[in-house]
Amino acid sequence: MTVTTVVGCQWGDEAKGKFVDLLAEHASIVARYNGGDNAGHTVVNPHGVFKLRLTPNGLFNPGVRCLIGPGVVLNLDTLLSEISLFQKAGIDLHDRLWISPRCHIVMPYHPLLEEVYEKAKGKAKTGTTRRGMGPVFADKVSYNGIRMFDLLEPSQFAEKLKIQLAVKNPILQVFGVPPLDFEQIYQEKLAQFASLRQWVREPFGLVQETLAGGGNILLEGAQGALLDNNWGTYPFCTASITLSGGAAAGLGIAPRHIDRVIGVTKAYTTRVGGGPMPTELTGETGEIIQRAGQEYGTVTGRARRCGWFDAELARFTCQINGVTELALTKIDVLDSLPTVKICTGYHHPSSGDQLRHYWEGDAHWLEDCQPLYIELPGWKQPTTQARRFAELPPQAQAYVHQIEELVGVAVRWVSVGPGRDETIVI
Ligand code: GDP
Ligand code: IMO
Ligand code: MG
């Protein structure tokens, strides 16, 4: 029996989806435990190309049960359209999908409120995915949320929805947003819930049975450590816990059961939205990486900002997650570059020659940090065909070893393309 968590070690989109899909083959359970449909996890497998936002990446494997834990917030439109996508692909979901009734629901006012805040912040906006994450999690922690449990009891749901609209509609109106209609939301959510009802049941018992029976459990993290609400570049972060520590509470499994933490990181750095990014490349090299890596957001289509691999950040995110092994992805994207750089630490104007760490300051402080780089020769040849580490060009092998040394964790997988087979196991 092994419990494995897959986490993002940068600002999201590290290719967690690919690795969950790969590892799901050996799992009895795959579970999502944080975030919502702000996530977009791409899977390329014999069924096709899927960009999943809420449903765990295990449904492609017939023996796997997929769970959505209480730490996830649900947009019911997204969930229903994903379920229908699986059904159209001929994938049987009967008895395979479990949705915790403790999950909070993204209501129509959440993205609207988010937009009001983002507009008010102007240039200082977070640059969210506009899925209402901030407001839905704010309602959750301030006891104003509406959960799947509430939809089981229509009168309870009606009571709660009325209270929320009584507070939220006047706020929206002040900012020129037309008020939302109770009856419309009430009917729509109940109808959506009726279509989901068969899968809404608490997965806690199933997790306990699986632990006792020796089955393998795979926990699928969304976002990345640098977007974590406590440890990310706040306020340029997300609303949930994106660390391995969040997996325990977000699904309902004791931390001592987690055996492996797989940290997924790109061979360079990307970020979507606002906030500091010390190794960002705004010139031609950044564009080359963006084009080669097709760095456009899965959820919003926005261009992702690209930069050199930041070992200072990756070391921190591996430490805070307790990463036991690394999956280094998209190394093929660097194939054409004559030289490659890695950031080993930061200089800050306030501290002369002294090297500083990410965790010492806030987002504003990080904005002023200057990365210190080492430069390595590029390999200038394709890596996509490599299936063994020894088949990678020597310069690419040296690059991987340099990352291992600076980050302090062994690389167990090198990904050379989006497909399942485009993977080197070390
Ligand atoms: P996630 O959110 O962490 O699951 O990552 P995304 O799916 O949002 O973004 C990763 C993107 O990179 C997807 O389009 C993948 O198909 C693609 N991808 C994954 N691994 C590789 C790789 O090794 N090389 C290349 N070129 N693309 C990859
Ligand atoms: P996956 O799981 C990349 C970013 C947004 C924005 C910030 C806050 O696919 O890796 P939010 O909508 O969460 O309030 O936006 O977080 N963000 C992501 N960036 N990948 C993600 O998920 C992300 N989820 C949120 O771009 O900067
Ligand atoms: Mg993504």
Side-chain angles (χ1 to χ4, degrees), residues 147-216:
R147 306 197 292 176
M148 293 299 257
F149 264 137
D150 298 315
L151 294 185
L152 279 164
E153 302 283 344
S155 60
Q156 185 171 305
F157 172 48
E159 204 178 309
K160 291 192 174 179
L161 180 60
K162 275 183 192 149
I163 294 169
Q164 290 312 310
L165 288 178
V167 176
K168 269 132 187 161
N169 268 339
I171 299 175
L172 289 173
Q173 276 177 288
V174 167
F175 291 93
V177 183
L180 295 167
D181 179 55
F182 166 83
E183 199 55 33
Q184 194 186 337
I185 301 176
Y186 177 75
Q187 296 300 345
E188 185 188 80
K189 292 300 152 204
L190 285 180
Q192 289 176 323
F193 183 74
S195 307
L196 293 165
R197 178 69 192 88
Q198 60 178 307
W199 295 294
V200 181
R201 52 218 161 138
E202 180 49 58
F204 181 80
L206 179 62
V207 171
Q208 294 305 312
E209 271 168 37
T210 308
L211 285 172
N216 293 329

Coordinates of all heavy atoms in Angstrom, one line a residue, residues 147-216:
R147 N -22.9 24.3 0.3 CA -22.2 23.1 0.0 C -23.2 22.1 -0.7 O -24.4 22.3 -0.8 CB -21.8 22.4 1.3 CG -20.9 23.3 2.2 CD -20.2 22.5 3.2 NE -21.0 21.9 4.2 CZ -20.5 21.1 5.2 NH1 -19.2 20.9 5.3 NH2 -21.3 20.6 6.1
M148 N -22.6 21.0 -1.2 CA -23.4 20.0 -1.9 C -24.5 19.4 -0.9 O -25.6 19.1 -1.2 CB -22.5 18.8 -2.4 CG -21.6 19.2 -3.5 SD -22.6 19.8 -5.0 CE -22.4 18.4 -6.0
F149 N -24.1 19.3 0.4 CA -25.0 18.9 1.5 C -26.3 19.8 1.4 O -27.4 19.2 1.6 CB -24.4 19.1 2.8 CG -23.7 17.9 3.4 CD1 -22.5 18.0 4.0 CD2 -24.4 16.7 3.4 CE1 -21.9 16.8 4.6 CE2 -23.8 15.5 3.9 CZ -22.5 15.6 4.5
D150 N -26.1 21.1 1.2 CA -27.3 22.0 1.2 C -28.3 21.6 0.1 O -29.5 21.8 0.2 CB -26.9 23.4 1.1 CG -26.0 23.8 2.3 OD1 -26.4 23.5 3.4 OD2 -25.0 24.4 2.1
L151 N -27.7 21.2 -1.1 CA -28.6 20.9 -2.2 C -29.4 19.6 -2.0 O -30.4 19.3 -2.7 CB -27.8 20.8 -3.5 CG -27.1 22.1 -4.0 CD1 -26.4 21.9 -5.3 CD2 -28.1 23.2 -4.1
L152 N -29.0 18.8 -1.0 CA -29.7 17.6 -0.6 C -31.0 18.0 0.1 O -32.0 17.2 0.2 CB -28.9 16.7 0.3 CG -27.9 15.8 -0.3 CD1 -26.9 15.3 0.8 CD2 -28.6 14.6 -1.0
E153 N -31.1 19.2 0.6 CA -32.2 19.7 1.4 C -32.7 21.0 0.7 O -32.2 22.1 1.2 CB -31.8 20.0 2.8 CG -31.2 18.9 3.6 CD -32.3 17.9 4.1 OE1 -33.5 18.3 4.1 OE2 -32.0 16.8 4.4
P154 N -33.6 21.0 -0.2 CA -33.9 22.2 -1.0 C -34.3 23.4 -0.1 O -34.0 24.5 -0.4 CB -35.1 21.7 -1.9 CG -34.8 20.3 -2.1 CD -34.2 19.8 -0.8
S155 N -35.0 23.1 1.0 CA -35.5 24.3 1.9 C -34.3 24.9 2.6 O -34.2 26.1 2.7 CB -36.5 23.8 2.9 OG -35.9 22.8 3.8
Q156 N -33.3 24.1 2.9 CA -32.1 24.6 3.5 C -31.3 25.4 2.5 O -30.8 26.5 2.8 CB -31.2 23.4 4.0 CG -30.0 23.7 4.8 CD -29.4 22.5 5.4 OE1 -30.1 21.7 6.1 NE2 -28.1 22.2 5.0
F157 N -31.2 24.9 1.3 CA -30.6 25.6 0.2 C -31.2 27.0 0.0 O -30.6 28.0 -0.1 CB -30.6 24.7 -1.0 CG -30.1 25.4 -2.3 CD1 -28.9 26.2 -2.3 CD2 -30.8 25.3 -3.5 CE1 -28.4 26.8 -3.4 CE2 -30.3 26.0 -4.6 CZ -29.1 26.7 -4.6
A158 N -32.6 27.0 -0.1 CA -33.3 28.2 -0.4 C -33.0 29.3 0.7 O -32.7 30.4 0.4 CB -34.8 27.9 -0.4
E159 N -33.0 28.8 1.9 CA -32.8 29.8 3.0 C -31.4 30.4 2.9 O -31.2 31.6 3.0 CB -32.8 28.9 4.3 CG -33.2 29.7 5.6 CD -33.3 28.7 6.7 OE1 -34.0 27.7 6.6 OE2 -32.6 29.0 7.7
K160 N -30.4 29.5 2.7 CA -29.0 30.1 2.6 C -28.8 31.0 1.4 O -28.1 32.0 1.4 CB -28.0 28.9 2.5 CG -27.9 28.1 3.9 CD -26.8 27.2 3.9 CE -26.7 26.6 5.3 NZ -25.6 25.6 5.5
L161 N -29.4 30.5 0.2 CA -29.2 31.3 -1.0 C -29.8 32.7 -0.8 O -29.3 33.7 -1.3 CB -29.8 30.6 -2.2 CG -29.7 31.3 -3.5 CD1 -28.3 31.5 -3.9 CD2 -30.4 30.4 -4.6
K162 N -31.0 32.8 -0.2 CA -31.7 34.1 0.1 C -30.8 35.0 0.9 O -30.6 36.2 0.5 CB -33.0 33.9 0.8 CG -34.1 33.5 -0.2 CD -35.5 33.4 0.6 CE -36.5 32.8 -0.4 NZ -37.5 32.0 0.2
I163 N -30.2 34.5 1.9 CA -29.3 35.3 2.8 C -28.1 35.8 1.9 O -27.8 37.0 2.0 CB -28.8 34.5 4.0 CG1 -30.0 34.1 4.9 CG2 -27.7 35.3 4.7 CD1 -29.6 33.1 6.0
Q164 N -27.5 34.9 1.2 CA -26.3 35.3 0.4 C -26.7 36.4 -0.7 O -26.0 37.4 -0.9 CB -25.7 34.1 -0.3 CG -25.0 33.2 0.7 CD -24.1 34.0 1.6 OE1 -23.2 34.8 1.2 NE2 -24.2 33.7 2.9
L165 N -27.9 36.2 -1.3 CA -28.3 37.2 -2.3 C -28.6 38.5 -1.7 O -28.3 39.6 -2.2 CB -29.4 36.7 -3.2 CG -29.1 35.6 -4.2 CD1 -30.3 35.1 -4.9 CD2 -28.0 36.0 -5.2
A166 N -29.2 38.5 -0.5 CA -29.5 39.7 0.2 C -28.3 40.5 0.5 O -28.3 41.8 0.6 CB -30.3 39.4 1.5
V167 N -27.1 39.9 0.7 CA -25.9 40.6 1.0 C -25.2 40.9 -0.3 O -24.7 42.1 -0.5 CB -25.0 39.8 1.9 CG1 -23.6 40.5 2.1 CG2 -25.6 39.5 3.3
K168 N -25.1 40.0 -1.2 CA -24.3 40.1 -2.4 C -24.9 41.0 -3.5 O -24.2 41.8 -4.1 CB -23.9 38.8 -3.0 CG -22.6 38.3 -2.3 CD -22.6 36.9 -1.8 CE -21.3 36.7 -1.1 NZ -21.4 35.6 -0.2
N169 N -26.2 40.9 -3.7 CA -26.8 41.7 -4.7 C -26.6 43.2 -4.5 O -26.2 43.9 -5.5 CB -28.3 41.4 -4.9 CG -28.6 40.3 -5.9 OD1 -27.7 40.1 -6.8 ND2 -29.7 39.6 -5.8
P170 N -26.8 43.8 -3.3 CA -26.5 45.2 -3.2 C -25.1 45.6 -3.5 O -24.8 46.6 -4.0 CB -26.9 45.5 -1.7 CG -27.8 44.4 -1.3 CD -27.4 43.2 -2.1
I171 N -24.2 44.7 -3.1 CA -22.7 45.0 -3.4 C -22.5 45.1 -4.9 O -22.0 46.0 -5.4 CB -21.8 44.0 -2.8 CG1 -22.0 44.0 -1.2 CG2 -20.3 44.2 -3.1 CD1 -21.2 42.9 -0.5
L172 N -23.1 44.0 -5.6 CA -22.9 44.0 -7.0 C -23.5 45.2 -7.7 O -22.9 45.8 -8.6 CB -23.5 42.7 -7.6 CG -22.8 41.4 -7.3 CD1 -23.6 40.2 -7.7 CD2 -21.4 41.4 -7.9
Q173 N -24.7 45.6 -7.2 CA -25.4 46.8 -7.8 C -24.6 48.1 -7.7 O -24.6 48.9 -8.6 CB -26.8 46.9 -7.1 CG -27.8 46.0 -7.8 CD -29.2 46.1 -7.2 OE1 -29.3 45.6 -6.0 NE2 -30.1 46.8 -7.8
V174 N -23.9 48.2 -6.5 CA -23.1 49.4 -6.3 C -22.1 49.5 -7.4 O -21.7 50.6 -7.9 CB -22.4 49.4 -4.9 CG1 -21.3 50.4 -4.8 CG2 -23.4 49.6 -3.8
F175 N -21.6 48.4 -7.9 CA -20.6 48.3 -8.9 C -21.1 48.1 -10.3 O -20.5 47.8 -11.3 CB -19.5 47.3 -8.6 CG -18.7 47.7 -7.4 CD1 -19.1 47.2 -6.1 CD2 -17.6 48.5 -7.5 CE1 -18.3 47.6 -5.0 CE2 -16.9 48.9 -6.4 CZ -17.2 48.5 -5.2
G176 N -22.4 48.4 -10.4 CA -23.1 48.4 -11.8 C -23.4 47.0 -12.3 O -23.7 46.9 -13.5
V177 N -23.4 46.0 -11.5 CA -23.7 44.7 -11.9 C -25.2 44.4 -11.6 O -25.6 44.6 -10.4 CB -22.8 43.6 -11.3 CG1 -23.1 42.2 -11.8 CG2 -21.3 44.0 -11.4
P178 N -26.0 44.0 -12.6 CA -27.4 43.7 -12.3 C -27.6 42.7 -11.3 O -26.8 41.7 -11.2 CB -28.0 43.3 -13.7 CG -27.0 43.6 -14.7 CD -25.6 43.7 -14.0
P179 N -28.6 42.8 -10.4 CA -28.8 41.8 -9.3 C -29.2 40.4 -9.9 O -29.7 40.3 -11.0 CB -30.0 42.4 -8.5 CG -30.7 43.3 -9.5 CD -29.7 43.8 -10.4
L180 N -28.8 39.4 -9.1 CA -29.1 38.0 -9.5 C -30.4 37.6 -9.0 O -30.9 38.0 -7.9 CB -28.0 37.1 -9.0 CG -26.6 37.4 -9.6 CD1 -25.5 36.7 -8.8 CD2 -26.5 36.9 -11.0
D181 N -31.1 36.7 -9.8 CA -32.5 36.3 -9.5 C -32.4 35.0 -8.7 O -31.9 34.0 -9.1 CB -33.2 36.1 -10.8 CG -34.6 35.6 -10.6 OD1 -35.3 36.3 -9.9 OD2 -35.0 34.6 -11.1
F182 N -33.1 35.0 -7.5 CA -33.1 33.9 -6.6 C -33.7 32.6 -7.4 O -33.1 31.6 -7.4 CB -34.0 34.2 -5.4 CG -34.3 32.9 -4.6 CD1 -33.4 32.4 -3.7 CD2 -35.5 32.3 -4.8 CE1 -33.7 31.2 -3.0 CE2 -35.8 31.1 -4.2 CZ -34.9 30.6 -3.2
E183 N -34.9 32.8 -8.0 CA -35.6 31.6 -8.5 C -34.7 30.9 -9.6 O -34.7 29.7 -9.7 CB -36.9 32.1 -9.1 CG -37.9 31.0 -9.3 CD -38.3 30.2 -8.0 OE1 -38.2 30.8 -6.9 OE2 -38.5 29.0 -8.2
Q184 N -34.1 31.8 -10.4 CA -33.3 31.2 -11.5 C -32.1 30.3 -11.0 O -31.9 29.2 -11.4 CB -32.8 32.3 -12.4 CG -32.3 31.8 -13.7 CD -31.6 33.0 -14.5 OE1 -31.9 34.1 -14.3 NE2 -30.7 32.6 -15.4
I185 N -31.4 30.9 -10.0 CA -30.3 30.2 -9.5 C -30.8 28.9 -8.7 O -30.2 27.8 -8.9 CB -29.5 31.1 -8.5 CG1 -28.9 32.3 -9.2 CG2 -28.3 30.3 -7.9 CD1 -28.2 33.3 -8.3
Y186 N -31.8 29.1 -8.0 CA -32.4 28.0 -7.1 C -32.8 26.8 -8.0 O -32.3 25.7 -7.8 CB -33.6 28.5 -6.4 CG -34.3 27.5 -5.5 CD1 -33.8 27.0 -4.3 CD2 -35.5 27.0 -6.0 CE1 -34.4 26.1 -3.6 CE2 -36.2 26.0 -5.2 CZ -35.6 25.6 -4.0 OH -36.3 24.6 -3.3
Q187 N -33.5 27.1 -9.1 CA -34.0 26.0 -10.0 C -32.8 25.4 -10.7 O -32.7 24.2 -10.8 CB -35.0 26.5 -11.0 CG -36.3 27.0 -10.4 CD -37.0 26.0 -9.6 OE1 -36.7 24.8 -9.7 NE2 -38.0 26.4 -8.8
E188 N -31.9 26.2 -11.2 CA -30.7 25.7 -12.0 C -29.8 24.8 -11.1 O -29.5 23.7 -11.6 CB -29.9 26.9 -12.5 CG -28.8 26.5 -13.4 CD -27.9 27.6 -13.8 OE1 -27.0 28.0 -13.0 OE2 -28.0 28.2 -14.9
K189 N -29.5 25.3 -9.9 CA -28.6 24.4 -9.1 C -29.3 23.1 -8.7 O -28.6 22.1 -8.7 CB -28.2 25.2 -7.8 CG -27.3 26.4 -8.2 CD -26.0 26.0 -8.8 CE -25.4 27.1 -9.7 NZ -24.6 26.7 -10.8
L190 N -30.6 23.2 -8.4 CA -31.3 21.9 -8.0 C -31.3 20.9 -9.2 O -31.1 19.7 -9.0 CB -32.7 22.2 -7.5 CG -32.8 22.8 -6.1 CD1 -34.2 23.0 -5.7 CD2 -32.1 21.9 -5.0
A191 N -31.5 21.5 -10.4 CA -31.5 20.6 -11.6 C -30.1 20.0 -11.8 O -30.0 18.8 -12.1 CB -32.0 21.4 -12.8
Q192 N -29.1 20.8 -11.7 CA -27.7 20.3 -11.9 C -27.4 19.3 -10.8 O -26.8 18.2 -11.2 CB -26.7 21.5 -11.8 CG -26.8 22.4 -13.0 CD -25.9 23.6 -12.8 OE1 -25.7 24.1 -11.7 NE2 -25.3 24.1 -13.9
F193 N -27.8 19.5 -9.6 CA -27.6 18.6 -8.5 C -28.3 17.2 -8.8 O -27.7 16.2 -8.6 CB -28.0 19.2 -7.2 CG -27.7 18.3 -6.0 CD1 -26.4 18.2 -5.6 CD2 -28.7 17.5 -5.4 CE1 -26.1 17.3 -4.5 CE2 -28.4 16.7 -4.4 CZ -27.1 16.6 -3.9
A194 N -29.5 17.3 -9.4 CA -30.2 16.1 -9.6 C -29.4 15.2 -10.6 O -29.3 14.0 -10.5 CB -31.6 16.4 -10.2
S195 N -28.7 15.9 -11.6 CA -27.9 15.1 -12.6 C -26.7 14.5 -11.9 O -26.1 13.6 -12.5 CB -27.5 16.0 -13.7 OG -28.6 16.6 -14.3
L196 N -26.2 15.1 -10.8 CA -25.0 14.7 -10.2 C -25.2 13.7 -9.0 O -24.3 13.1 -8.5 CB -24.2 15.9 -9.7 CG -23.6 16.8 -10.7 CD1 -23.2 18.1 -10.1 CD2 -22.4 16.1 -11.4
R197 N -26.5 13.7 -8.6 CA -26.9 13.1 -7.3 C -26.2 11.7 -7.1 O -25.8 11.4 -6.0 CB -28.4 13.0 -7.2 CG -28.9 12.3 -6.0 CD -28.7 13.2 -4.8 NE -28.9 12.5 -3.5 CZ -28.0 11.8 -2.9 NH1 -26.8 11.6 -3.4 NH2 -28.3 11.2 -1.7
Q198 N -26.2 10.9 -8.1 CA -25.7 9.5 -8.0 C -24.3 9.4 -7.5 O -23.9 8.4 -7.0 CB -25.9 8.7 -9.3 CG -25.2 9.3 -10.5 CD -25.3 8.5 -11.7 OE1 -25.1 7.3 -11.7 NE2 -25.8 9.1 -12.8
W199 N -23.5 10.5 -7.8 CA -22.1 10.4 -7.4 C -21.8 11.2 -6.1 O -20.6 11.2 -5.7 CB -21.2 11.0 -8.6 CG -21.3 10.2 -9.8 CD1 -20.9 8.9 -10.0 CD2 -21.9 10.6 -11.1 NE1 -21.1 8.5 -11.3 CE2 -21.8 9.5 -11.9 CE3 -22.6 11.7 -11.5 CZ2 -22.3 9.5 -13.2 CZ3 -23.1 11.8 -12.8 CH2 -22.9 10.7 -13.7
V200 N -22.8 11.8 -5.6 CA -22.5 12.6 -4.4 C -22.6 11.7 -3.1 O -23.7 11.3 -2.7 CB -23.5 13.9 -4.3 CG1 -23.2 14.7 -3.0 CG2 -23.4 14.7 -5.5
R201 N -21.5 11.4 -2.6 CA -21.5 10.5 -1.4 C -20.1 10.7 -0.8 O -19.1 10.9 -1.5 CB -21.7 9.1 -1.7 CG -20.8 8.6 -2.8 CD -21.5 7.6 -3.8 NE -20.8 7.5 -5.0 CZ -20.6 6.4 -5.7 NH1 -21.0 5.3 -5.2 NH2 -20.0 6.4 -6.8
E202 N -20.0 10.7 0.5 CA -18.7 11.0 1.2 C -17.7 9.9 0.9 O -18.0 8.7 1.3 CB -19.0 11.2 2.7 CG -17.7 11.5 3.5 CD -16.9 12.7 2.9 OE1 -17.4 13.8 2.7 OE2 -15.7 12.4 2.5
P203 N -16.6 10.2 0.4 CA -15.6 9.2 0.1 C -14.7 8.7 1.3 O -13.9 7.8 1.1 CB -14.7 9.8 -1.0 CG -14.9 11.3 -0.9 CD -16.2 11.5 -0.2
F204 N -14.9 9.3 2.4 CA -14.1 9.0 3.6 C -14.0 7.5 3.9 O -12.9 7.0 4.1 CB -14.6 9.8 4.8 CG -13.7 9.5 6.0 CD1 -12.5 10.2 6.2 CD2 -14.1 8.6 7.0 CE1 -11.7 10.0 7.3 CE2 -13.3 8.3 8.1 CZ -12.1 9.0 8.3
G205 N -15.2 6.8 3.9 CA -15.2 5.4 4.2 C -14.4 4.6 3.2 O -13.7 3.7 3.5
L206 N -14.5 5.0 1.9 CA -13.8 4.3 0.9 C -12.3 4.4 1.0 O -11.5 3.5 0.8 CB -14.3 4.8 -0.5 CG -13.6 4.2 -1.7 CD1 -13.9 2.7 -1.9 CD2 -14.1 5.0 -3.0
V207 N -11.9 5.6 1.4 CA -10.4 5.9 1.6 C -10.0 5.0 2.8 O -8.9 4.3 2.7 CB -10.2 7.4 1.9 CG1 -8.7 7.6 2.4 CG2 -10.5 8.2 0.7
Q208 N -10.7 4.9 3.8 CA -10.3 4.1 5.0 C -10.2 2.6 4.6 O -9.3 1.9 5.0 CB -11.3 4.3 6.2 CG -11.3 5.7 6.8 CD -9.9 6.2 7.2 OE1 -9.2 5.4 7.9 NE2 -9.5 7.4 6.8
E209 N -11.2 2.2 3.9 CA -11.3 0.8 3.4 C -10.1 0.5 2.6 O -9.4 -0.6 2.7 CB -12.5 0.5 2.6 CG -13.7 0.0 3.3 CD -14.9 0.1 2.4 OE1 -14.8 -0.2 1.2 OE2 -16.0 0.5 2.9
T210 N -9.7 1.4 1.7 CA -8.6 1.2 0.7 C -7.3 1.2 1.5 O -6.4 0.3 1.2 CB -8.6 2.3 -0.3 OG1 -9.9 2.4 -0.9 CG2 -7.6 2.1 -1.4
L211 N -7.2 2.1 2.5 CA -6.0 2.1 3.3 C -5.8 0.7 4.1 O -4.7 0.1 4.1 CB -6.0 3.2 4.4 CG -5.8 4.6 3.9 CD1 -6.1 5.6 5.0 CD2 -4.4 4.8 3.4
A212 N -6.9 0.3 4.6 CA -6.9 -1.0 5.4 C -6.6 -2.2 4.5 O -6.0 -3.2 4.8 CB -8.2 -1.2 6.1
G213 N -7.1 -2.1 3.2 CA -7.0 -3.2 2.3 C -5.7 -3.2 1.5 O -5.5 -4.1 0.6
G214 N -4.9 -2.2 1.7 CA -3.6 -2.2 1.0 C -3.6 -1.6 -0.4 O -2.6 -1.9 -1.1
G215 N -4.6 -0.9 -0.8 CA -4.7 -0.4 -2.1 C -3.8 0.9 -2.2 O -3.4 1.5 -1.2
N216 N -3.4 1.2 -3.4 CA -2.6 2.4 -3.7 C -3.5 3.7 -3.9 O -4.5 3.6 -4.6 CB -1.7 2.3 -4.9 CG -0.6 1.2 -4.6 OD1 -0.2 1.0 -3.5 ND2 -0.3 0.5 -5.7

